[in-house]
Amino acid sequence: MEIAMKSHVGHVRSVNEDYFACEADVNGRALAVLADGMGGHEAGEIASRLAVERIVKELRHIDGELEGEDVREQLMNAVLLANKEVYEYALEHPECSGMGTTTIAALFRPSTVMTAHIGDSRLYKFGAEGLVMKTEDHSLVNELVKSGQITPEEAAVHPHRNVIMRSLGTEPDVLIDLDQFEWEPGDVVLICSDGLSDKVAPSVMEEWLQKKTSLQEKVDGLVQEALVAGGQDNITLVAVRNMPDSSEKEG
C-alpha cells in the first residue's frame, strides 16, 4: 500500500486542531487514524491528539492472524478507550470542559478495509465506480436532510452545518459506526477533515484522483484547492492506495 498525507492550519485559525497518524505495517495491516478536535482553550487540539494516540497505541500490536468479528471488536475497543481517555481528561481539566473530537480509524488489508467513525470527518473510496462516500456525517444538517427538512444543496450553505450530533469524548458512552468494505488494486481511500470536504466538491476530488500524478501530488493538490476556496478551517487529508507491488506506482 502507498500512503500520502498532508495537514494545513488554513488561512484563518492559529492552531491546528486536526491530528492524524499512519502506520504502514501493523502486523500485516496498514492503519490510518484522523481526528478533528473541538473545544475552547486549545482543548480541541488536545482532544484530537489524545484520541489518535490512544487508538494507535491500542491497535499497533493487533494480532495479524485475527479476522472478521475479532478485528471489529479490537477496533471498537480502541475507539471506546480513546473516548474514555478524552472524556476523563476533560473532567480532570475544567478548562477543557466539553471538548471532543471527530474520529475515523481504518485498518487496511489487501482486499478489505475496516473502519470506525464518529463525527463529520469523512472517508471516501475512489475506484472503478468513481468516488463513493463510505461514512455518514453525524451532523445537524445531515439529520435535517434525512428528515426532509432541507435539501443537500441547502445543507452545504446552512449556518449550522458545523454542528456535530455525535463526537468522541463529550460523553462517557458513545455510539460508533463500524463498517467493512472491499477494495481492489488501484483503489484509493481518502480520509479527510471537514476543512477539505466543506470546500472541495466531490467532483473536484475525483478530478484530482484521476490525474496521472503521484499520490502525494494528488493530496497536495486537494489541500491547495481547499486553501484557494478560503481555507477557513484546518485541512487534513490521508490517502491510502491499494498497490499490488511498489513497481506499479504512478508518477
Side-chain angles (χ1 to χ4, degrees):
M1 286 168 229
E2 182 185 8
I3 301 174
M5 60 205 86
K6 189 177 184 70
S7 188
H8 196 291
V9 70
H11 292 316
V12 175
R13 301 196 174 186
S14 59
V15 174
N16 193 340
E17 294 186 325
D18 292 353
Y19 199 84
F20 69 95
C22 298
E23 300 266 343
D25 186 5
V26 181
N27 296 322
R29 295 179 174 88
L31 168 66
V33 188
L34 182 148
D36 177 0
M38 58 195 126
H41 193 67
E42 299 186 357
E45 182 183 18
I46 296 169
S48 61
R49 176 178 56 80
L50 288 175
V52 170
E53 289 181 349
R54 184 56 184 265
I55 292 169
V56 171
K57 177 183 177 182
E58 294 299 323
L59 294 177
R60 181 171 283 146
H61 303 295
I62 188 171
D63 188 341
E65 300 300 316
L66 291 181
E67 296 291 346
E69 284 301 315
D70 292 329
V71 179
R72 189 181 176 94
E73 183 177 348
Q74 293 281 322
L75 181 58
M76 172 65 88
N77 286 342
V79 178
L80 292 177
L81 286 169
N83 182 76
K84 182 174 185 287
E85 183 161 337
V86 174
Y87 181 75
E88 290 182 350
Y89 185 97
L91 290 179
E92 295 165 3
H93 299 80
E95 71 276 11
C96 295
S97 177
M99 77 175 183
T101 183
T102 72
T103 302
I104 294 182
L107 286 166
F108 300 85
R109 284 283 208 193
S111 60
T112 59
V113 183
M114 186 172 288
T115 65
H117 159 63
I118 185 167
D120 66 348
S121 295
R122 292 181 176 180
L123 185 148
Y124 298 88
K125 186 184 83 164
F126 175 74
E129 71 278 27
L131 187 72
V132 178
M133 184 172 160
K134 304 297 288 186
T135 52
E136 179 181 345
D137 291 348
H138 301 142
S139 63
L140 174 62
V141 293
N142 190 47
E143 291 299 319
L144 294 174
V145 170
K146 289 197 299 181
S147 65
Q149 297 181 59
I150 63 173
T151 66
E153 292 73 23
E154 290 170 332
V157 295
H158 197 282
H160 300 306
R161 62 185 177 277
N162 293 324
V163 175
I164 306 301
M165 305 299 289
R166 273 198 265 160
S167 61
L168 199 79
T170 51
E171 302 289 342
D173 299 307
V174 66
L175 180 62
I176 306 292
D177 288 357
L178 293 175
D179 189 25
Q180 179 172 313
F181 58 88
E182 295 181 352
W183 68 332
E184 304 290 337
D187 289 355
V188 176
V189 166
L190 294 178
I191 305 172
C192 67
S193 61
D194 64 345
L196 184 85
S197 56
D198 276 357
K199 292 297 182 183
V200 181
S203 60
V204 177
M205 294 185 194
E206 199 160 354
E207 287 175 11
W208 273 97
L209 292 170
Q210 291 170 341
K211 291 178 183 288
K212 297 299 183 182
T213 61
S214 70
L215 190 62
Q216 188 63 55
E217 287 172 319
K218 298 177 198 293
V219 166
D220 293 344
L222 285 168
V223 171
Q224 186 61 33
E225 291 277 359
L227 290 170
V228 170
Q232 284 91 349
D233 201 352
N234 309 142
I235 306 153
T236 302
L237 174 59
V238 176
V240 182
R241 179 158 51 190
N242 191 340
M243 301 295 293
D245 60 65
S246 60
S247 66
E248 296 188 26
K249 291 180 183 178
E250 294 179 3

